Structures are given as C-alpha cells and as structure tokens.
C-alpha cells in the first residue's frame, strides 16, 4: 500500500546521511520533500500541513549532541509524528461489562463491511468469544445472503430476516423491504437470549453518503446503543476519504475506524488521514478477501513499515 510513499521518504532521508548539523535550509528542503511525498500519497492537505509544521519545528529544535546523528534524528521525528497521526496508541475493543458487547458496522457500500463482519467474528471466536452476526442491511438484495455466507465460513451463527417467512419483510424490486432498526434490535435481543457474548450488526451502505442512509444508521445506533461503532473505510478511496469519514463521524459518531483493502496498491492517503481528521482511532486493518486477512492496527508498527 505505501510502497511509493515509503520509497520517497527513504530517498529523502538518504540525502541527509553522513551530514553534520543540519541548517535551517537543509531542514526546509527536507520538509518540502516530505510534504510532496505525503501529498502525492493523497494524504489530506490539513493533515500534511500539521504534520510538516510539527516535523520542521522539532527538527529545528533538535539537540545535536546525543546518541542519534542528524539524519537519524529526522527519521525519528518523522516516525513519531507518523505514529501520532495514526492515532498514537493501539486501541482494542471495548467490551461491555454486562454481555453482550454490541458492535455496529457502518460505511459506504463496497467498503468491506460484510467481509469485515466475518473477519471480526472469526477472530473473536478464536479468542473464545461466541459472536452472533446480525444482518441489518436490507438495502441490497444480496446483503443478507452474503452475510450468511460469510457467517458460515467463519463458523458463527447469523440472525437474519427471511423473506417469505417473516411477515414484515417482503421482496419488492428484488430488495428486502423491512425495518432494519427492528432487525438490529431483535438481533441484539436474540444475542442476549441465546447468551452470545458479542453481537456484530452489519448495516446498509450506499455508493455515496446520503441523508437517508445516515439517518437509518443513526436510528440503528440509538436503538441498540452499541459499545463500539466501527466505521469501515476502503483505504483506496483517496481524497474522498476525509469527506466520507467526517460525514460518518457526524452522522453515527463512530468509535473506531477499520481500514479495509490495505493490500491494494493505491496510494494510501486515506489510511494516513482518517484518524487525525476525525480524532477516532484506527482499530483494525483488513488486508485481503480471505477471512484471515485481518489484523489489529498498531500505529507504531504501521509507521515503521512505512519508514522501513
Ligand atoms: P460492503 O458492501 O461494505 O459490505 O462490502 P463487502 O464486504 O461486500 O466488500 C466489497 C468487496 O471488497 C468484496 O468483493 C470483498 O471481497 C472485497 N474486500 C473486502 N475487504 C477486502 C480487503 O481487505 N482486501 C481486498 N482486496 N478486498 C476486500
């Protein structure tokens, strides 16, 4: 994902190797290179601005004496600032004191929510939890089926409305017409009754942010008072990431971010902007189509990977 950014930053640091004390002009030239590399990687402009200002200030104030030479000092500063924009600390799932822990998924259509539901369920199951998946995406004709398939692959049960045998859900124009808020609520109640300790609620996405979608997600959020609302975002969407993330932050007040498709070869700016812009932590990364292509997101490890 970050190959190009990584190469550019490494080349910039290489120019500093073997140098003695860096002049202000040297630092400015380096910061300019870093700025260009970040902008070319599609990192959001305000994030780039803050990032480069912080690097410049710290590089100018850096002591020459000490264990690190000037080039190493710059690398360390850039590393620290990268960890900072990626959210600082690793943040794990907040489990409810009284089970079930309710996790709601939100995001645009195609972001990778349904796949993530399966990945998260599998990972939690392997940790000894007993997750239930809830199909509250009634927008797309195939969404319920797709979640059921994912649930089966993960070996976890799914709570879904069945067209034909649930009186308040009908098929119209190939889409399930029903009440996603009711399904979400019933799903959480089912988890409680059947003693699942975690319930993961998949919700509908649209191709773009729209009011109806946001209202539906907000209604589901109020109905099920989730412990975590995870906003799933396709890391390949580039500069649109910031607008989308802000819309969801405002609309559903998500508690954490999941970056999906980090295995792609896009420039990755979304990944580097979203935590800083929304002030919410990136908690997980999705790195492929298989259910095991999933990891806890560690800001420090991601920064090291970029600067490797
Ligand atoms: P949803 O509409 O948000 O539920 O998105 P889906 O889970 O249906 O994912 C949309 C498409 O992206 C599917 O074809 C998935 O197989 C694919 N996908 C999901 N996550 C990843 C990922 O991390 N990497 C890659 N390469 N593809 C993914």
């Amino acid at each position: 994902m970050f190959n190009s950014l990584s190469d550019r930053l490494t080349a910039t640091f290489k120019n500093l190797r073997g140098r003695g004390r860096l002049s202000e002009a040297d630092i400015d030239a380096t910061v300019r290179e870093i700025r260009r590399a970040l902008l070319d990687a599609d990192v959001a402009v305000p994030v780039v601005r803050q990032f480069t200002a912080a690097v410049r200030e710290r590089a100018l104030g850096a002591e020459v004496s000490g264990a690190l030479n000037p080039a190493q000092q710059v690398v360390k500063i850039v590393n620290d600032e990268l960890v900072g924009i990626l959210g600082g600390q690793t943040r794990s799932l907040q489990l409810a004191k009284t089970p079930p822990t309710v996790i709601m998924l939100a995001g645009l259509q195609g972001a990778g929510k349904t796949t993530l539901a399966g990945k998260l369920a599998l990972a939690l199951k392997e940790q000894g939890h007993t997750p239930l998946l809830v199909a509250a995406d009634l927008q797309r004709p195939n969404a319920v089926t797709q979640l059921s398939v994912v649930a089966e692959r993960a070996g976890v049960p799914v709570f879904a409305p069945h067209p034909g045998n649930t009186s308040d859900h009908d098929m119209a124009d190939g889409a399930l017409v029903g009440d996603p808020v009711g399904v979400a609520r019933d799903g959480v109640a089912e988890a409680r009754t059947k003693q699942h300790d975690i319930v993961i609620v998949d919700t509908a996405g649209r191709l773009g942010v729209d009011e109806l979608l946001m209202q539906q997600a907000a209604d589901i959020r109020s109905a099920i008072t989730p412990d975590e609302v995870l906003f799933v975002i396709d890391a390949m969407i580039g500069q649109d990431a910031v607008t989308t993330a802000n819309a969801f932050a405002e609309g559903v007040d998500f508690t954490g971010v999941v970056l999906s498709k980090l295995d792609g070869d896009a420039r990755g700016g979304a990944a580097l902007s979203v935590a800083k812009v929304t002030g919410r932590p990136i908690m997980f990364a999705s790195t492929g189509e298989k259910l095991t292509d999933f990891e806890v997101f560690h800001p420090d490890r991601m920064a090291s990977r970029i600067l490797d």
Side-chain angles (χ1 to χ4, degrees):
M1 171 60 78
F2 296 108
N3 292 349
S4 159
L5 174 64
S6 200
D7 291 349
R8 295 271 298 272
L9 291 175
T10 313
T12 304
F13 299 142
K14 217 174 185 173
N15 288 336
L16 298 176
R17 240 186 255 159
R19 299 275 289 273
R21 194 191 174 92
L22 300 179
S23 67
E24 189 167 343
D26 292 332
I27 290 171
D28 282 340
T30 304
V31 166
R32 256 197 313 277
E33 286 296 314
I34 295 172
R35 176 182 297 128
R36 269 190 226 123
L38 292 172
L39 288 173
D40 287 348
D42 264 348
V43 179
V45 174
V47 176
V48 175
R49 203 173 291 138
Q50 282 177 36
F51 185 91
T52 48
V55 169
R56 182 176 188 276
E57 191 182 320
R58 285 186 58 191
L60 284 173
E63 290 292 327
V64 251
S65 59
L68 301 179
N69 65 40
Q72 289 166 331
Q73 262 171 352
V74 172
V75 176
K76 180 177 185 311
I77 292 167
V78 171
N79 181 75
D80 291 351
E81 293 298 325
L82 267 180
V83 174
I85 63 167
L86 291 171
Q89 304 271 324
T90 302
R91 155 86 146 76
S92 38
L93 277 178
Q94 217 67 53
L95 297 182
K97 285 201 192 77
T98 316
T101 296
V102 180
I103 302 171
M104 171 178 164
L105 307 181
L108 294 181
Q109 185 176 316
K113 284 185 300 302
T114 306
T115 311
L116 186 268
K119 291 176 174 183
L120 191 56
L122 178 64
L124 289 168
K125 187 183 120 184
E126 283 175 349
Q127 289 169 21
H129 294 287
T130 53
L132 173 70
L133 290 176
V134 176
D137 176 356
L138 308 186
Q139 215 64 46
R140 247 180 340 125
N142 279 334
V144 173
T145 317
Q146 203 193 331
L147 189 71
S148 305
V149 169
V150 159
E152 195 176 323
R153 275 165 55 203
V156 300
V158 64
F159 178 88
H162 292 289
N165 62 12
T166 307
S167 58
D168 57 348
H169 299 104
D170 300 308
M171 295 296 281
D173 299 332
L176 274 170
V177 178
D179 167 22
V181 179
V183 172
R185 197 187 284 123
D186 292 351
V188 173
E190 168 96 350
R192 197 162 285 128
T193 313
K194 300 250 174 91
Q195 302 195 340
H196 291 278
D197 67 343
I198 295 186
V199 51
I200 301 170
V201 181
D202 190 19
T203 67
R206 301 280 161 85
L207 288 175
V209 174
D210 76 34
E211 268 176 44
L212 215 68
L213 155 79
M214 213 49 94
Q215 192 53 50
Q216 186 186 93
D219 290 346
I220 292 177
R221 195 193 203 296
S222 319
I224 62 175
T225 50
D227 300 282
E228 297 278 12
V229 180
L230 302 182
F231 167 59
V232 184
I233 185 164
D234 179 340
M236 313 222 273
I237 74 171
Q239 290 286 354
D240 280 350
V242 170
T243 329
T244 310
N246 278 333
F248 276 89
E250 199 176 308
V252 290
D253 191 20
F254 58 81
T255 57
V257 178
V258 179
L259 293 174
S260 73
K261 311 192 191 178
L262 265 189
D263 51 311
D265 56 5
R267 295 174 282 188
L272 294 182
S273 311
V274 137
K276 183 77 186 171
V277 165
T278 64
R280 330 267 159 125
I282 303 169
M283 293 171 61
F284 300 104
S286 229
T287 54
E289 296 196 69
K290 291 201 302 291
L291 290 192
T292 46
D293 296 331
F294 172 72
E295 47 192 74
V296 171
F297 187 87
H298 299 287
D300 53 348
R301 287 188 211 165
M302 181 54 84
S304 310
R305 222 187 282 173
I306 294 170
L307 297 181
D308 200 12

